[in-house]
Amino acid sequence: MPSYRIDLAGTRHGFGDLRRLLAAATPPRSGDMLAGIAADSDEQRVAARYILADLPLGTFLADLVIPYEADEVSRLIIDSHDAAAFAPIAHLTVGGFREWLLANETDGPMIAAVAQAITPEMAAAVSKLMRNQDLIAVARKISVVTAFRDTIGLPGHLSTRLQPNHPTDDPAGIAVSILDGLLMGSGDAVIGINPATDSIDTAARLLNLLDEVRQAYAIPTQSCVLTHVTNTLALIERGAPVDLTFQSIAGTEAANRGFGIDLALLGEAHQATLSLGRGTIGNHVMYFETGQGSALSADAHHGVDQQTLEARAYAVARAFRPLLVNSVVGFIGPEYLYDGKQILRAALEDHFCGKLLGLPMGLDICYTNHAEADQDDMDAILTLLGVAGVSFVMGVPGADDIMLNYQSTSFHDALYLRETLGLRPAPEFEAWLAAIGLTDERGRLQTPPRAALPYRAIPALAHLDG
């Protein structure tokens, strides 16, 4: 194994193994400090980055941060590595890989061609050598396109998840939020509800509500109730209208066990959802959410820094060809990402690493109410991610999720980003918006005629007057 040591400014810096080196090279964040693995000083962080820059990429195939025999995610990473795709970049160091990614001659298709050869640890390592602008510049080159009833991730497009959560899962309250979002051009990535309870009966009612709305207005999108994968399997057995299977995932076997899942269960759910054949233009049927700090919060981090573990979660995701993946970047709280600056850095890292590994990356640009962050921070993150080519963001009524009790991005925020950067919804959804009179000939939202989305078409709202 390599020697992770260097003399810098008259001081000898040494790191016992690769995981300690990666942790020390990471930009400062509260989660790594909480775990006791962050660099002791800026000088030590720079020393770690010097060593990291000179490491051959092949090091990450031989020196695993979590042993192969101890973790099924490690086994997945190594067993699925594409040696043939790795050949064009096998000679590079981490620093050389950064230069290759940033080079004008390296375009998106070239990066996509090596995606299956890039391990999460390689992606995390190169990100630690990058400034924010580097993360944006490379991510912008990469397009990852997926489809179910519409097409997500095309260059020049920005989709949204319409998130109509309700603290009591009230159908009328949820339906009103859905209509609000649709009238604002939101929902082309998915209309997805986080249920307030773990009840399978409630999830079934919500799925039927979502399907009624979709069919009433002939919306070319997909729906999802973000319940546990075992609940979704039970719902499929009951004949519920399941479009996508959702699951939160993490970067270690132990952390995933804390979520009540393993790779075999995800594989079973993937096959069961595919068997329904509900997609019209594509068969990407999985929706995964991640977040830096999840393994640490479960005491399942093995001494590995939270950003590297986040990248390892993307290896889990890409094994199942998902329609959507998003990092709920600031949701876990200031214990893991303390303030707006740390949330911004994590958001750019997650988006870059996910796209580099071939995933259709979105972000829930968010923070908890006790974090040192505010909506101005979210505006800055939203804008930078739009420049970086993010596939989708969240659309939450008023940017305030009253069920999950955190702050995210609103329907208006997505409109701002589309207008400012010249981005458009998914093509099929955009055509639907025009057909029902919600957008003008330039694709801009206009005040719709009242009949555009008649609320009485939704059974949950049929009783309302006015």
Side-chain angles (χ1 to χ4, degrees):
M1 295 297 175
S3 174
Y4 304 120
R5 301 181 184 280
I6 191 173
D7 290 314
L8 187 67
T11 301
R12 182 75 163 169
H13 294 276
F15 306 91
D17 53 30
L18 185 56
R19 64 180 182 173
R20 291 183 177 88
L21 178 69
L22 288 168
T26 305
R29 64 204 60 201
S30 52
D32 292 339
M33 297 173 192
L34 179 67
I37 60 175
D40 296 332
S41 65
D42 288 339
E43 181 178 305
Q44 187 185 57
R45 185 174 295 110
V46 170
R49 290 176 182 174
Y50 266 107
I51 298 170
L52 191 60
D54 288 337
L55 280 188
L57 289 180
T59 303
F60 298 94
L61 299 174
D63 190 1
L64 306 186
V65 295
I66 303 175
Y68 180 92
E69 62 277 4
D71 184 272
E72 70 170 356
V73 178
S74 292
R75 293 193 289 275
L76 172 68
I77 291 166
I78 296 302
D79 294 348
S80 62
H81 183 255
D82 189 332
F86 187 56
I89 59 172
H91 64 288
L92 295 174
T93 63
V94 177
F97 187 39
R98 172 186 175 275
E99 297 304 313
W100 181 80
L101 290 169
L102 287 166
N104 290 334
E105 297 78 17
T106 304
D107 59 16
M110 291 172 66
I111 298 172
V114 300
Q116 293 298 318
I118 301 169
T119 70
E121 291 84 356
M122 294 176 195
V126 74
S127 76
K128 297 176 194 297
L129 303 183
M130 290 181 155
R131 292 173 56 185
N132 288 355
Q133 65 176 250
D134 298 337
L135 298 173
I136 294 167
V138 175
R140 185 174 176 81
K141 295 182 181 185
I142 307 168
S143 297
V144 181
V145 180
T146 57
F148 189 78
R149 291 195 186 96
D150 59 358
T151 308
I152 300 165
L154 291 167
H157 292 258
L158 172 73
S159 295
T160 61
R161 171 188 160 194
L162 202 171
Q163 184 172 307
N165 296 343
H166 192 279
T168 63
D169 291 331
D170 176 63
I174 289 171
V176 167
S177 291
I178 293 173
L179 281 181
D180 186 23
L182 292 172
L183 290 168
M184 291 288 176
S186 184
D188 52 334
V190 65
I191 305 175
I193 303 170
N194 296 92
T197 73
D198 204 33
S199 163
I200 294 177
D201 288 338
T202 297
R205 285 194 296 272
L206 295 178
L207 281 171
N208 283 314
L209 168 63
L210 290 171
D211 209 49
E212 288 168 355
V213 172
R214 181 184 64 81
Q215 294 196 58
Y217 302 133
I219 310 169
T221 191
Q222 36 285 330
S223 64
C224 186
V225 171
L226 282 69
T227 189
H228 192 269
V229 64
T230 53
N231 289 347
T232 303
L233 283 168
L235 289 162
I236 290 173
E237 291 180 2
R238 288 172 55 162
V242 173
D243 287 344
L244 309 178
T245 287
F246 166 83
Q247 184 56 49
S248 295
I249 57 174
T252 72
E253 179 180 349
N256 284 325
R257 195 182 308 122
F259 286 138
I261 62 168
D262 58 21
L263 297 178
L265 180 61
L266 293 178
E268 178 186 352
H270 185 216
Q271 292 304 312
T273 316
L274 280 173
S275 72
L276 301 177
R278 291 175 59 86
T280 55
I281 65 169
N283 63 351
H284 297 97
V285 297
M286 302 297 282
Y287 176 16
F288 294 117
E289 283 190 344
T290 66
Q292 287 194 28
S294 57
L296 175 58
S297 68
D299 194 24
H301 61 102
H302 298 270
V304 182
D305 70 274
Q306 64 184 40
Q307 190 251 333
T308 298
L309 292 179
E310 172 73 3
R312 282 170 57 96
Y314 302 154
V316 176
R318 75 175 173 183
F320 301 102
R321 300 179 58 249
L323 179 76
L324 307 166
V325 179
N326 73 264
S327 165
V328 192
V329 65
F331 182 75
I332 304 182
E335 300 84 359
Y336 305 95
L337 296 169
Y338 178 71
D339 57 14
K341 182 175 183 178
Q342 290 189 11
I343 296 171
L344 166 61
R345 175 67 192 193
L348 294 177
E349 289 169 348
D350 294 353
H351 179 247
F352 163 83
C353 288
K355 289 183 80 174
L356 188 61
L357 292 167
L359 290 179
M361 284 302 295
L363 267 290
D364 189 343
I365 304 161
C366 61
Y367 63 102
T368 57
N369 290 317
H370 62 308
E372 290 295 319
D374 58 26
Q375 215 62 35
D376 285 339
D377 293 308
M378 302 305 106
D379 286 349
I381 298 169
L382 176 70
T383 303
L384 290 178
L385 284 169
V387 174
V390 70
S391 290
F392 68 100
V393 296
M394 303 298 118
V396 177
D400 183 2
D401 192 303
I402 59 174
M403 193 279 283
L404 291 173
N405 195 28
Y406 79 117
Q407 310 304 310
S408 185
T409 49
S410 71
F411 308 135
H412 295 84
D413 294 333
L415 290 177
Y416 144 75
L417 199 61
R418 284 173 176 165
E419 178 66 20
T420 302
L421 298 181
L423 304 173
R424 307 178 80 94
E428 301 84 357
F429 193 84
E430 183 177 36
W432 174 79
L433 290 172
I436 64 171
L438 283 173
T439 53
D440 61 22
E441 64 279 358
R442 296 173 57 191
R444 299 177 64 177
L445 204 68
Q446 63 180 358
T447 302
R450 184 165 183 149
L453 292 176
Y455 68 84
R456 292 184 186 277
I458 303 175
L461 300 180
H463 65 286
L464 297 180
D465 294 325

